[in-house]
Amino acid sequence: MSKSPPSIALPLAANADSVAPPKPLTDPAPAVVPSPLFALRQGIPASVYWGLAAVGLLAPIALWMLAVASGRVEPVFLPGPAQVIERVQMWWVDGLLGDIGISTMRVVVGWALASLIALPLGLLIGSWRVVQALLEPMMDFIRYMPAVAFVPLVMVWVGIDEGAKVAIIFIGTFFPMVLMVAEDTRRVPMAQIEAAQTMGATRWEIVEKVILPSAKPALLDTLRVNMGCAWTYLVVAELVAANSGLGYSILKAQRFLQTDKIFAGILIIGLIGLVIDQLLRLAHRKAFPYMHTR
C-alpha cells in the first residue's frame, strides 16, 4: 500500500490586515493650484487691472518708437511720436477744439437718433415672433450693405449739409443696433415671462415690467458698443462736403501726404472714443451695481 507524500506546512500571515501596501516607486506629484489671476470670470485687484491696462496701451507705443528708431521706415510713411505730438500742437492753434466739437456732435446725434428708433423696434422684434418674421430678414439684409455706398444717395435725398453727415452715421449704426437689441430682448428668461402670465399680467405689462427691466443691463451695453461703431463711420460721414471735423482733417491731410496729421487724427478719435466708452461703463456700474460686485 503506497504512502502519501508528507505535507509541507507553509507559514501563514498572522493578520491579513497588517500587510503594508506596496510603496509607490515615485511620490505623487503635488496638486497644481491655479493662479487666482487666471480664474474663470473672477475679479482681480484694481491695481493689477490698471497695471495690465497700462501695459496693453503702452506696449504698442513702445513698438512704434522702436520701429521709428530703427530707421528702416521713412518718416513720411511712419512718423515718430514726437512728430505727431508736434503736429497736435500746431493743430491746436489752427482750431483742433472746433474740429473735435463738430465731429463729436455729428457722432452723438447720429447715434442718439439710431438709439431712439432701434430700442423700441428691437424690443418689438425680440418680444413678438410676428414682428420678427416681418422685419428681421430685412434688417439682416440691409446691415450687410456698406454705409459708404449710401453716400451718393444721401447727398441726393438729404443734401450736403449737416443732416447728410448725421444720416451716414445713422445708417451705419441703426441696423446692427436693432438686431442687437432684439437679441438682448430674447435673452430674458422665459420663466420670468411665464411667472408674470400666471399672475394675470397683460402682454404690454409683461413687456414693460418684466422684459424691459430684465434686459436693461444688456441694452446699455449694446448702446455702448454701438457708440464705438458710430465713431468708425465718422470719416465716411465727413466725405460729404465737409469743411471741418476730425475726419475731414484726416482726408485733407491725405491729399498733402501729411502722415503725422493722419496719425494725430486717428489717435484723437481713439482717445475720445475711449473716454466715452469709460463714461458709459461707469454709468453701467452706477445703474446696475449688483452686476459688478465681484
Side-chain angles (χ1 to χ4, degrees):
M1 190 173 181
S2 61
K3 295 182 180 180
S4 60
S7 60
I8 301 173
L10 297 175
L12 300 176
N15 190 355
D17 295 336
S18 64
V19 178
K23 185 177 181 181
L25 297 178
T26 58
D27 294 333
V32 178
V33 180
S35 171
L37 295 179
F38 295 97
L40 293 176
R41 300 183 66 179
Q42 299 298 318
I44 59 176
S47 58
V48 176
Y49 177 89
W50 290 112
L52 292 173
V55 170
L57 289 172
L58 295 176
I61 297 176
L63 293 175
W64 177 18
M65 296 175 66
L66 287 174
V68 172
S70 67
R72 296 183 178 181
V73 185
E74 293 291 334
V76 70
F77 298 112
L78 185 65
Q83 290 178 267
V84 174
I85 293 173
E86 184 179 355
R87 174 62 69 173
V88 170
Q89 294 172 347
M90 296 170 59
W91 195 356
W92 180 272
V93 177
D94 292 337
L96 175 59
L97 278 181
D99 289 331
I100 292 175
I102 192 66
S103 292
T104 304
M105 184 274 293
R106 290 164 180 162
V107 169
V108 171
V109 171
W111 169 82
L113 288 175
S115 304
L116 191 63
I117 304 174
L119 285 174
L121 193 57
L123 191 62
L124 292 175
I125 292 174
S127 300
W128 280 279
R129 283 298 183 94
V130 174
V131 183
Q132 178 184 356
L134 179 65
L135 297 179
E136 193 171 56
M138 180 186 67
M139 297 291 173
D140 271 325
F141 174 68
I142 297 177
R143 78 184 177 103
Y144 286 104
M145 299 179 183
V148 68
F150 287 91
V151 170
L153 288 176
V154 168
M155 293 175 68
V156 172
W157 292 342
V158 183
I160 57 173
D161 57 0
E162 289 300 319
K165 302 164 185 60
V166 172
I168 293 297
I169 295 173
F170 173 88
I171 291 171
T173 309
F174 171 72
F175 297 100
M177 189 186 298
V178 170
L179 297 173
M180 293 176 70
V181 170
E183 191 62 32
D184 292 337
T185 304
R186 282 193 285 263
R187 289 198 188 102
V188 175
M190 194 62 193
Q192 298 181 8
I193 298 173
E194 292 172 348
Q197 288 173 336
T198 59
M199 291 186 288
T202 64
R203 294 172 183 174
W204 284 109
E205 286 176 340
I206 293 174
V207 172
E208 179 186 357
K209 299 180 179 179
V210 177
I211 295 178
L212 184 58
S214 181
K216 276 182 180 179
L219 293 177
L220 184 53
D221 261 340
T222 294
L223 294 178
R224 178 181 61 83
V225 171
N226 280 277
M227 170 59 81
C229 294
W231 275 101
T232 62
Y233 290 105
L234 175 66
V235 177
V236 175
E238 292 183 347
L239 281 170
V240 185
N243 55 12
S244 62
L246 296 172
Y248 164 76
S249 299
I250 291 174
L251 294 170
K252 185 179 176 181
Q254 177 195 8
R255 300 188 199 123
F256 299 100
L257 209 60
Q258 295 174 337
T259 319
D260 52 354
K261 192 168 186 178
I262 295 174
F263 268 78
I266 292 171
L267 293 175
I268 290 171
I269 290 174
L271 183 60
I272 296 171
L274 180 62
V275 170
I276 294 176
D277 185 86
Q278 293 302 314
L279 290 175
L280 290 174
R281 286 180 184 271
L282 178 62
H284 195 282
R285 287 194 293 269
K286 295 295 183 181
F288 313 107
Y290 57 89
M291 299 189 68
H292 303 273
T293 54
R294 293 184 180 182

